[in-house]
Amino acid sequence: MKTTTRWTLAVGVALTAVLGGAATAQATGPATGHPGVGHPRDTALATAFGAVDRNTSWQQTGKLKLNFPTFHTEGIAFAGDRIFLSSVEIIEPTVKYPTPQNGYDRSPGKGVGHLFVMDRQGNLQRDIVLGEGDMYHPGGIDFDGTNIWVPVAQYRPNSSTIVYRVDASSLRVHKQFEVTDHFGGVVLDKTNGHLVGNTWGSRRFAEWNLQGKQLRTWDNENFFVDYQDCQYVPNGKMICGGVTNLPQTPAAGGSNATYELGGLALIDLHSHDVLREVPFQQWSTAGHVATRNPVKLAADGNRLTMWAAPDNGEEGNGTEILTFQATVAR
């Protein structure tokens, strides 16, 4: 299976021209009507990311302002000439219970789940509403070369999730399956055609076949950050971006003035090992760490490009898709 496709070249050109990044995205699969399954070699992204460390110098090279209501951003994906952004619109916030009720630690709240479809200039083309009942919270999303995979969960742990498949060309929505527990992100492992999701706070992972049969689960033994948005990386890996809020010193406000620690991790989907994990401390217009919410990466040789959309629609300058680049020694 070749690791360069027409889609790869098109994405590389488009991202370079519009978002300010000069990178060629890795191939994520053939342009077929179903997820590709194969055993490609590791791409430049996996190899280049393996050389990232705490001293890697990331420079912001681009900023694309989105001029429509984006609410609370969650996941991002690039597919051909389109950008997909998942987001939750909160109508009624959840409220913590004094003691758990019926297995829940908080009320369900109310909201609307969005999958925004944009052109490469950030212009809104379609607002796809996803979810049912109390399941209105979209999470991190992934593009498999044909479909966008979107989990939509209740906005509380130990709840339930619908996994949707959205055709990136026709924008047709298919409800793939429903599972118990809150899953805040999902990727398709192209070595076996299985889906992998991470629970609330990314404390646990689960793997399913495309019919929703759970094949295995495992605990996340790493506590560095909570993963917010992930992407598949051949062969059998994923890169996740995330954040954790840490208390400040008493002089700086203590636990009422938390500090955002951002990070990126390369995870083996088969051994479940964290192969590489590094902090990422670049900041948004509103002062959030860049890996707070949507994150995707690509590589061209030893040059890495990362796109992130950390700010909500009502914060700072509104939601901006930020581009960062770094060159690593391999």
Side-chain angles (χ1 to χ4, degrees), residues 144-214:
D144 69 8
T146 301
N147 302 298
I148 306 294
W149 295 92
V150 188
V152 181
Q154 294 189 45
Y155 209 160
R156 52 186 177 176
N158 306 309
S159 53
S160 54
T161 304
I162 298 171
V163 176
Y164 289 96
R165 172 170 53 86
V166 180
D167 187 293
S169 297
S170 68
L171 303 183
R172 285 192 293 267
V173 176
H174 177 73
K175 180 180 176 181
Q176 195 74 15
F177 54 81
E178 187 174 332
V179 294
T180 56
D181 211 341
H182 172 107
F183 285 92
V186 67
V187 302
L188 180 83
D189 182 350
K190 294 180 72 64
T191 65
N192 55 24
H194 297 164
L195 290 164
V196 174
N198 54 283
T199 62
W200 184 278
S202 66
R203 293 304 92 209
R204 188 170 61 86
F205 295 94
E207 181 178 341
W208 311 277
N209 65 18
L210 294 186
Q211 289 70 50
K213 179 182 178 180
Q214 184 174 285

Side-chain angles (χ1 to χ4, degrees), residues 22 26 34 45 87 101 249 260 301:
Q26 81 282 8
H34 56 81
L45 178 54
S87 174
Q101 298 183 19
T249 64
E260 290 183 358

Side-chain angles (χ1 to χ4, degrees), residues 15 19 58 60-66 73-78 83-85 118 228-229 231 241-242 263-264 280 282-285 288-298 305-312 318-325:
L15 292 178
L19 298 183
W58 292 89
Q60 184 176 322
T61 59
K63 181 186 296 185
L64 177 63
K65 172 118 173 48
L66 304 184
T73 58
E74 298 290 343
I76 196 167
F78 301 94
I83 304 171
F84 292 81
L85 181 73
M118 297 168 276
Q228 304 296 312
D229 193 19
Q231 70 187 92
L264 298 164
F280 191 95
Q282 296 283 337
W283 307 96
S284 69
T285 300
H288 292 295
V289 72
T291 58
R292 176 193 184 212
N293 283 314
V295 172
K296 287 296 180 288
L297 289 94
T305 302
M306 190 188 91
W307 297 272
D311 291 348
N312 297 334
T319 299
E320 299 168 320
I321 300 177
L322 308 177
T323 305
F324 299 92
Q325 290 189 324

